[in-house]
Amino acid sequence: MTSALVKLELLRLRRSRAAWAILAFALFASFYSVWSGVSWRASHSASLVAYEAAIEAKMDVWLETLVAIESGERFATPFDARPSQVEFAATHPVGPLGHLAVGSAELLPARANIGPLKNQNLMVERYGFENPTTLTLGRFDLAFLIVVVLPLLMIALSFDVIAADRSRGTINLLLASRASKQRVIATRLLVRNGILGGIVALAVVFGIAMAPEGAAAFGLLWSLVFLAYSLFWIGLIYLVVGRTSRSETSAAVLVSLWALFTFAAPALANSAGEALYPLPSNLDYLSDARVAQNDAWKRRPELTAKYLSDHPELVANEMEAPEFAHAYFLANVMEIESTAPIVAAFEDSHARRSAFVDKLQFTSPAIVAQRALFRIAGSDFDRTLSFLTQARAALTNLNDELRPVILASNRMSTEDFAGLSGFEFKSNSPAAVLGQISIPVAFLVACLCLFVALGRPGNRYSPFA
Amino acid sequence: MLEARELSKSFNGVVALDGLNVEVQEGEILCFLGANGAGKTTAINLFLGFLEPTRGEALIKGKSVRSDPVSAREHVAYIPERVALYPDLSGYENLRFFAELAGKRLGESELLECLDTAGLPRDANHNPASTYSKGMQQKVGIACALAKSAEILLLDEPLAGLDPKAANEFCSLLREMRNQGVAGLMATHDLFRAREVASRIGILRDGQLVDVIAAADVTAAQLETLYLEHMHEGREDAA
Amino acid sequence: MKAGVIAAKEALVARRGKRLWALSLGVIAVMVASMAIGLNRTATFETERAAAAESDKAVWLDQGFRNPHKAAHFSRYVFKPIPTLASFDPGAIDFGGIAVWMEAHIQNPSRFRRAESTGDLSRFVGLSPAWVLQVIMPLIVILLLFGAYAGEREDGTLRQVMSYGVSPGAVFKGKLRGASSALLKLLLPVFALIAIAVFVFDRGYPQEDLPVRLAGIVGIYGIYLFAFAMLTIGVSALSPSRRSAAVSLLAIWCLVTVLLPRFANDAAVTATPQPDSYQTWKDLEEIKAEYWGVIPAFGIPLTDIRKREMARFLEKFQVANVEDAPVPWSAWELQASEEYSDPLYDAYYAGLNDLYGRQEDTRFWLTALSPTISVMALSSGLSGSDRLHHYDFVKSAEEHRRVVIRQLNEDLLYNSGADPMVYESPTSFWGEVADYEAGPPPLTNFTGSYLPYLLVMVLWASGAFLFARWAAFRAANMETAV
């Protein structure tokens, strides 16, 4: 029985020009989006590698000089191999599946320079040379395709799954055989969307295969969310087409739901988040930083004197470095300290906004899916924030390590240099990501179960009652 | 008023109407009787200019429909099987619209009179047409014809699906209009109504006019014979 | 005459159907909400800008005694004014930096893009009045008009009307007038609302040519939605039923307003990749180093450029040694290095701008498939929130930087005496440095750039009109109609 239904459905699909058009579009769009993401990832990663190599090369020269000075091969000037010249590259690597969900990664900073003369503001390497026009709408990445486009294609393929039979009267012919109506609908939906989903799944698998090594677990999670979200929509379509008698009504209801979930809910959640939890302005941060910088500049002799009187042991030095080296360092430390509250406030507001959106995400499966896909891919806003927090921590750490030697105007030893902590980005493990996405995904699955339960023939709310 | 000369129409080589020659005078209604696909509707559509003849000519008041369908239609009122009305507008508003389309700016009382004459219940005049029964819709169709002061009626199965009472009323209205000099061409497969309304009955079969009988001459017994002879052997595939 | 009768009937049906009313109310509600969000954002941004500019000035004046070249390294910031109409169409405003650091020696890029702190959700969709007009309004036009011909055909009224001796042209004209008046009824309150919001409640930086810009906005959205109305009527005339008309039109809507604009942007950066930030900054630093050479710890070896400049200096003051000149060579050289690198920065940024232009060219070609792309470009241009306006701001900030740095260098040149490096300007000097006061640029600076988009819009509208007319005549011909 079922196999007969499936065969009939496949035959009908083969004969439908609209179905061919939809499937061809899905094939083109999904593979285009993966290709576009892969090319973005390649150029972005190459740029990060080039940056790291450049900083490393610079430090190699610095270290060679230091070694030469230590071994007495070279006459040391006050400017050579000073500890204040130490720097490390901190880069925010593209997430394990970043090419499948570019998201805001294309506009957020990914390179920072960790050094004793840097602060939260200065450490971030200049960025933002992209064309603003092309940033406005976001990338046509696979995540966008799955979250926004796929449901629409599913609707286009499924809205008349039964209504056409109904208006032609062939429904009675079908039902006169042993098939139950919900079985006919379910089979047809699964056949049609199975082919569509299969095409997109191919792109997903291809995309996961294009990921760097070690992304398999993330790939599995990504596929899971893709599956849960697609099934959610099949469930919803199943419920709607069963309940509405005319196909234009099905189409109208489904497209309205789609617009509600992918436009209205995110727009409202975004605006509400922005209005209720405004982030401290970058301009306020800049103003405070400049006031602090100016103050520190004016108070530098006093600051140096105070620090050195607290630490008399530091006064001895091998060779006097220019005064501005440690003055600059102190002014910078002061700037870091006085702008720390703004940074903390930014992180705090963001955390609260994020928690708020986490609750609001349940108003729309599209937000749920988008957040989950971004988190797994490692393209979420939080990951960039985490990168900046880690970079700031590394900066503070380095400052603490270098403070005595800089203020004493000493040179550091190669041994001390080898002991510096540097920077390494710590990203979430698959288990941690699973923890973050488990409730949202459970929500999608619960919705699906609800749709299926509501759609059962015995149910009072069943469309087939 | 209406004249067909060798009027023929085929669709992709299939002949729907073949060399029709017929004339309808003032105060005369010609009924086309025939099975489905005998060419009745095709003939009406040719007179309306909705179709172009493959051969021959349809004339309204002596002028070829083909050369100027728009002005030919100005003399004609068309009443199809189901008179189409705008469902959101009332019968009165529909009538006013169609009257204005016909170039008649009638006052409210004149319009209401048309509806009255057509037999639409007065309390329904201002209800939305979506609430009307089929009989009421056909009456609005007649009212439109009255308001247009059409000299010619083209009726395409106007009685199908009407209950006997409504059909009766409709027929007596047609007779009245005929008596006032209106010419008409009606397609039907209802022999009995045809006899009531028509001056003459033309029998169409496979697109050919096989017989024309004066309605007054037809007896009930003949009707039955006619029915058996002509109504069950039509082709089903033509338009 | 008959067209008038049909138009009047269309209006009556539209009124009776209540659909127009419900949709107008819905649109006005969304419009008010998005306008409120826009006005609030603009007001907040302008307040922040004013506060930042004030603080920047206060810090600048509060420097105390300081060497003018050290001050040139601390320097000042220029903050981007957010124009009034940005609350109508924020365009690319959140994606361009809003502060430029006027440092000595280098033209810094603008920084602090607002979009960097809005989170992931804003990448879905940004609710703005312009977005409502670009994406939601076409949908509403479709909902209003999809039955124009398909519905009449389905109900048989088209046949009925034709039987009254109405020419296909008259029916089309009637439909056209009916659609236009429905569109006007829908749009007039919306535009009135926008005008009130912009003229009365907006706290953005005033645009002197606001009325012209607003008139342009009304014009292009009028053309855009007219094109959609014609497309709807055309598709409706070709469709056998309301159902198929609605489904085809929804598919067209999704493709044209949602998918293609995003695809166009992606295709633009895939065809012409974005400049790599790291490489770009390295290039800019190389320009900076071109005059001075790589600066080692001790003693600065003269680059050829410096040697040439020194020769010019000696010749100008007719001296054999720099020490004999009436002004300090080191101060002279600071300004000379700026003047050397200025055209290099101009060329470099112009090159970047050309690259952006090439990206937008890709986008432009896709306007052939989607008028939404072109209305987006025009709308953000008229609102003063697009990349061209941003580039204008960047250029004017750079001009101001050059004025400020020259002022500081000249203080050093004429007032520092023999040793410019230990000279400190008096506290009163800082107040003499000019503030940045330029507002948003006038539209006339860019008119040429928008003409192709405007042409595309007009072509779309006339093409849609001809299509609708062709389809309407076809629908009225019973023999060929579907």
Side-chain angles (χ1 to χ4, degrees):
Chain A
M1 183 65 230
T2 307
S3 77
L5 276 175
V6 171
K7 266 186 209 148
L8 175 68
E9 202 48 30
L10 288 174
L11 185 67
R12 285 181 12 152
L13 276 182
R14 257 212 312 277
R15 300 239 167 108
S16 157
R17 263 187 299 172
W20 279 105
I22 291 167
L23 295 176
F25 177 79
L27 187 69
F28 164 76
S30 55
F31 277 89
Y32 168 83
S33 66
V34 174
W35 172 68
S36 149
V38 166
S39 72
W40 172 79
R41 176 185 196 115
S43 63
H44 187 70
S45 300
S47 162
L48 294 182
V49 168
Y51 174 67
E52 282 175 353
I55 301 285
E56 212 164 293
K58 215 162 145 190
M59 284 322 289
D60 283 346
V61 173
W62 182 91
L63 193 58
E64 269 170 37
T65 316
L66 185 62
V67 170
I69 291 171
E70 274 185 359
S71 63
E73 279 171 34
R74 185 184 164 129
F75 170 72
T77 74
F79 295 99
D80 281 334
R82 300 306 308 188
S84 58
Q85 291 162 341
V86 168
E87 53 186 296
F88 293 107
T91 55
H92 179 209
V94 181
L97 299 175
H99 53 298
L100 303 186
V102 178
S104 23
E106 62 173 340
L107 63 95
L108 293 172
R111 286 173 289 115
N113 191 316
I114 311 293
L117 299 183
K118 304 287 178 174
N119 55 44
Q120 304 99 319
N121 181 4
L122 288 175
M123 73 172 186
V124 178
E125 290 283 4
R126 298 291 205 290
Y127 67 105
F129 290 98
E130 298 85 9
N131 181 354
T133 310
T134 55
L135 292 174
T136 48
L137 291 177
R139 298 293 295 244
F140 199 93
D141 51 20
L142 195 58
F144 170 75
L145 186 98
I146 289 173
V147 173
V148 178
V149 185
L150 181 62
L152 205 57
L153 297 178
M154 292 167 97
I155 292 169
L157 212 52
S158 320
F159 75 98
D160 61 349
V161 71
I162 195 83
D165 277 311
R166 211 175 259 158
S167 61
R168 276 201 307 269
T170 40
I171 182 79
N172 292 330
L173 277 180
L174 264 177
L175 298 186
S177 58
R178 287 205 327 276
S180 69
K181 194 172 130 195
Q182 75 268 24
R183 177 130 167 228
V184 172
I185 296 185
T187 312
R188 287 184 171 177
L189 280 181
L190 288 173
V191 171
R192 294 182 186 191
N193 293 301
I195 297 174
L196 174 62
I199 288 173
V200 180
L202 271 181
V204 170
V205 169
F206 172 65
I208 292 170
M210 299 301 286
E213 269 177 56
F218 293 103
L220 203 65
L221 289 179
W222 224 74
S223 314
L224 185 75
V225 175
F226 161 61
L227 189 70
Y229 183 67
S230 316
L231 287 175
F232 169 92
W233 274 101
I234 296 183
L236 192 62
I237 294 171
Y238 171 71
L239 207 58
V240 171
V241 295
R243 247 169 209 280
T244 43
S245 54
R246 286 156 41 134
S247 53
E248 61 265 40
T249 319
S250 310
V253 170
L254 287 168
V255 171
S256 308
L257 285 171
W258 171 80
L260 189 73
F261 289 152
T262 57
F263 282 148
L268 287 177
N270 186 38
S271 296
E274 218 181 2
L276 294 176
Y277 299 98
L279 300 184
S281 142
N282 276 323
L283 297 186
D284 285 351
Y285 168 77
L286 179 69
S287 298
D288 282 18
R290 281 171 68 78
V291 169
Q293 220 178 321
N294 197 35
D295 279 356
W297 175 257
K298 290 202 281 187
R299 289 171 52 206
R300 67 198 181 282
E302 173 197 339
L303 285 170
T304 318
K306 182 172 181 306
Y307 193 86
L308 291 181
S309 70
D310 289 350
H311 300 277
E313 77 281 5
L314 294 180
V315 175
N317 58 50
E318 165 203 345
M319 181 172 181
E320 193 74 34
E323 173 252 6
F324 65 76
H326 55 248
Y328 205 83
F329 176 77
L330 282 174
N332 190 44
V333 169
M334 185 171 158
E335 192 184 325
I336 293 177
E337 280 165 5
S338 60
T339 50
I342 299 193
V343 174
F346 180 89
E347 288 192 330
D348 184 52
S349 304
H350 179 267
R352 280 190 296 152
R353 186 193 279 189
S354 190
F356 175 69
V357 176
D358 261 338
K359 282 188 205 104
L360 277 191
Q361 68 175 325
F362 297 110
T363 56
S364 155
I367 309 182
V368 167
Q370 193 230 30
R371 283 174 86 76
L373 291 176
F374 273 43
R375 278 197 170 134
I376 301 166
S379 305
D380 50 327
F381 191 58
D382 291 348
R383 194 171 187 259
T384 297
L385 281 190
S386 159
F387 160 69
L388 291 174
T389 309
Q390 290 181 37
R392 279 196 296 270
L395 188 67
T396 313
N397 205 14
L398 185 69
N399 276 347
D400 289 344
E401 287 170 341
L402 292 178
R403 179 173 313 202
V405 63
I406 290 179
L407 290 181
S409 294
N410 267 333
R411 205 181 305 278
M412 67 195 304
S413 67
T414 45
E415 221 171 291
D416 289 343
F417 178 73
L420 294 177
S421 346
F423 178 87
E424 195 180 352
F425 180 69
K426 285 178 225 38
S427 59
N428 281 335
S429 68
V433 172
L434 181 63
Q436 285 176 332
I437 65 159
S438 54
I439 293 177
V441 172
F443 167 78
L444 288 180
V445 175
C447 287
L448 177 64
C449 296
L450 183 73
F451 296 153
V452 174
L454 284 179
R456 279 181 37 207
N459 192 293
R460 187 153 64 94
Y461 299 101
S462 167
F464 316 112
Chain B
M1 300 291 273
L2 282 170
E3 194 185 346
R5 293 184 192 153
E6 282 301 312
L7 189 59
S8 307
K9 177 70 184 172
S10 42
F11 295 98
N12 302 324
V14 179
V15 180
L17 196 64
D18 191 7
L20 177 70
N21 282 304
V22 82
E23 202 173 337
V24 184
Q25 303 296 337
E26 265 180 58
E28 190 188 21
I29 292 183
L30 171 66
C31 261
F32 277 151
L33 265 178
N36 289 334
K40 306 181 303 264
T41 300
T42 305
I44 297 230
N45 281 337
L46 285 165
F47 274 109
L48 279 166
F50 287 167
L51 296 177
E52 287 196 2
T54 321
R55 188 163 56 82
E57 241 182 338
L59 301 160
I60 285 183
K61 297 190 82 176
K63 280 183 201 155
S64 161
V65 174
R66 180 184 208 159
S67 58
D68 190 358
V70 170
S71 61
R73 288 174 195 152
E74 281 173 3
H75 306 288
V76 168
Y78 168 58
I79 299 178
E81 181 178 348
R82 175 177 277 273
V83 171
L85 300 175
Y86 293 97
D88 290 335
L89 304 185
S90 67
Y92 170 77
E93 285 163 337
N94 269 292
L95 172 63
R96 192 181 58 197
F97 166 64
F98 284 113
E100 283 175 3
L101 264 194
K104 307 278 184 197
R105 298 258 167 206
L106 300 181
E108 190 181 350
S109 57
E110 289 163 292
L111 289 170
L112 288 175
E113 205 186 302
C114 290
L115 287 171
D116 235 19
T117 315
L120 190 75
R122 281 191 186 161
D123 52 359
N125 284 347
H126 295 289
N127 292 346
S130 55
T131 62
Y132 286 11
S133 68
K134 201 196 155 198
M136 288 158 86
Q137 286 181 20
Q138 300 304 86
K139 283 171 182 166
V140 176
I142 291 275
C144 291
L146 290 171
K148 190 179 183 181
S149 334
E151 300 149 81
I152 298 161
L153 293 177
L154 291 170
L155 305 121
D156 191 1
E157 306 272 9
L159 300 166
L162 287 187
D163 62 65
K165 184 170 168 286
N168 235 342
E169 286 171 4
F170 192 87
C171 288
S172 57
L173 263 170
L174 284 184
R175 277 199 302 274
E176 215 164 285
M177 291 172 82
R178 189 187 72 185
N179 293 340
Q180 283 165 11
V182 171
L185 180 64
M186 176 161 127
T188 183
H189 49 236
D190 187 333
L191 294 139
F192 303 95
R193 295 290 177 200
R195 196 181 59 153
E196 269 180 51
V197 176
S199 325
R200 286 183 294 156
I201 297 174
I203 311 288
L204 275 175
R205 195 171 160 185
D206 294 348
Q208 287 181 330
L209 188 62
V210 292
D211 205 353
V212 180
I213 321 160
D217 302 347
V218 183
T219 64
Q222 277 175 310
L223 270 180
E224 217 166 313
T225 329
L226 273 175
Y227 184 81
L228 291 172
E229 266 182 27
H230 302 298
M231 301 303 284
H232 276 207
E233 293 167 43
R235 246 192 353 247
E236 302 245 324
D237 51 357
Chain C
M1 213 289 295
K2 285 182 177 168
V5 175
I6 292 174
K9 184 268 301 173
E10 291 285 312
L12 184 61
V13 170
R15 269 208 303 285
R16 197 55 57 77
K18 300 205 172 59
R19 200 155 48 168
L20 182 64
W21 295 118
L23 290 175
S24 315
L25 277 181
V27 166
I28 287 173
V30 178
M31 214 62 198
V32 168
S34 57
M35 205 75 221
I37 291 170
L39 290 173
N40 180 43
R41 276 171 64 93
T42 308
T44 312
F45 295 171
E46 274 297 282
T47 313
E48 283 175 11
R49 183 184 68 89
E54 202 174 307
S55 157
D56 178 75
K57 184 166 189 174
V59 174
W60 179 251
L61 294 180
D62 184 39
Q63 288 180 100
F65 288 95
R66 196 179 208 172
N67 178 283
H69 190 61
K70 277 186 180 143
H73 276 283
F74 182 68
S75 196
R76 295 190 65 174
Y77 268 85
V78 165
F79 300 102
K80 183 178 176 184
I82 304 299
T84 305
L85 279 169
S87 35
F88 166 74
D89 186 352
I93 218 142
D94 282 359
F95 297 88
I98 50 172
V100 176
W101 187 19
M102 298 187 288
E103 209 185 350
H105 307 307
I106 195 158
Q107 179 179 358
N108 276 299
S110 59
R111 26 187 329 220
F112 299 130
R113 297 176 294 184
R114 302 247 180 220
E116 288 173 30
S117 51
T118 48
D120 292 327
L121 269 187
S122 62
R123 305 294 280 161
F124 251 118
V125 60
L127 189 61
S128 73
W131 180 79
V132 174
L133 282 172
Q134 287 159 4
V135 178
I136 302 299
M137 267 303 195
L139 185 62
I140 283 167
V141 167
I142 288 172
L143 289 177
L144 273 178
L145 297 176
F146 74 93
Y149 273 90
E152 293 230 19
R153 187 185 352 253
E154 206 175 345
D155 295 345
T157 44
L158 184 60
R159 207 177 157 82
Q160 192 95 3
V161 166
M162 299 304 299
S163 81
Y164 272 72
V166 183
S167 66
V171 177
F172 177 64
K173 243 187 258 172
K175 289 281 174 194
L176 192 66
R177 276 159 62 175
S180 311
S181 88
L183 204 58
L184 273 183
K185 278 179 195 143
L186 202 61
L187 286 180
L188 279 181
V190 167
F191 285 136
L193 204 69
I194 293 168
I196 292 170
V198 164
F199 281 114
V200 182
F201 296 107
D202 209 301
R203 297 286 165 267
Y205 199 103
Q207 283 160 305
E208 274 167 21
D209 48 1
L210 185 61
V212 176
R213 285 173 181 270
L214 207 56
I217 284 172
V218 170
I220 56 147
Y221 281 105
I223 297 176
Y224 174 64
L225 294 169
F226 175 78
F228 257 98
M230 289 302 105
L231 198 63
T232 308
I233 288 181
V235 171
S236 179
L238 291 183
S239 308
S241 63
R242 285 189 182 86
R243 173 184 114 78
S244 70
V247 171
S248 319
L249 285 163
L250 279 180
I252 291 173
W253 172 77
C254 290
L255 201 65
V256 165
T257 66
V258 181
L259 300 183
L260 280 169
R262 188 150 173 148
F263 174 75
N265 273 3
D266 197 284
V269 296
T270 307
T272 313
Q274 300 277 23
D276 174 38
S277 289
Y278 171 55
Q279 188 57 46
T280 307
W281 182 242
K282 232 168 63 175
D283 292 345
L284 289 169
E285 286 193 313
E286 268 166 27
I287 294 177
K288 176 182 169 184
E290 209 166 295
Y291 180 88
W292 296 101
V294 180
I295 301 173
F298 270 131
I300 304 172
L302 291 186
T303 58
D304 290 345
I305 304 158
R306 293 186 72 196
K307 281 181 196 150
R308 273 207 304 277
E309 193 53 47
M310 189 180 271
R312 221 161 60 85
F313 178 78
L314 295 174
E315 196 189 316
K316 181 175 166 78
F317 293 103
Q318 294 295 315
V319 289
N321 289 311
V322 288
E323 292 80 18
D324 302 335
V327 293
W329 154 245
S330 57
W332 166 279
E333 194 182 18
L334 281 176
Q335 184 56 29
S337 72
E338 293 289 339
E339 281 164 22
Y340 175 80
S341 51
D342 283 350
L344 299 179
Y345 288 125
D346 285 344
Y348 193 80
Y349 276 92
L352 273 183
N353 213 40
D354 284 349
L355 185 146
Y356 301 153
R358 285 201 299 282
Q359 291 178 329
E360 283 155 26
D361 285 347
T362 307
R363 198 178 68 139
F364 176 77
W365 292 116
L366 283 159
T367 58
L369 299 178
S370 159
T372 309
I373 299 172
S374 130
V375 87
M376 279 173 169
L378 286 170
S379 169
S380 57
L382 287 164
S383 301
S385 57
D386 67 345
R387 202 247 321 155
L388 295 177
H389 283 71
H390 181 69
Y391 183 61
D392 195 279
F393 159 73
V394 168
K395 271 202 307 204
S396 86
E398 173 62 7
E399 274 162 30
H400 190 64
R401 178 182 83 92
R402 292 175 187 177
V403 171
V404 169
I405 300 297
R406 169 183 283 276
Q407 228 175 330
L408 294 170
N409 285 339
E410 283 177 353
D411 181 47
L412 203 60
L413 189 64
Y414 299 124
N415 304 326
S416 66
D419 198 348
M421 289 308 135
V422 295
Y423 166 73
E424 286 186 335
S425 307
T427 47
S428 62
F429 171 66
W430 311 123
E432 290 169 26
V433 174
D435 295 333
Y436 175 80
E437 264 160 359
L443 192 61
T444 44
N445 285 13
F446 324 96
T447 323
S449 316
Y450 298 129
L451 285 181
Y453 287 102
L454 189 63
L455 185 69
V456 166
M457 293 288 304
V458 171
L459 283 177
W460 257 99
S462 16
F465 172 79
L466 292 176
F467 164 66
R469 201 171 167 283
W470 168 78
F473 274 73
R474 192 170 181 276
N477 183 341
M478 296 298 162
E479 196 152 6
T480 54
V482 233

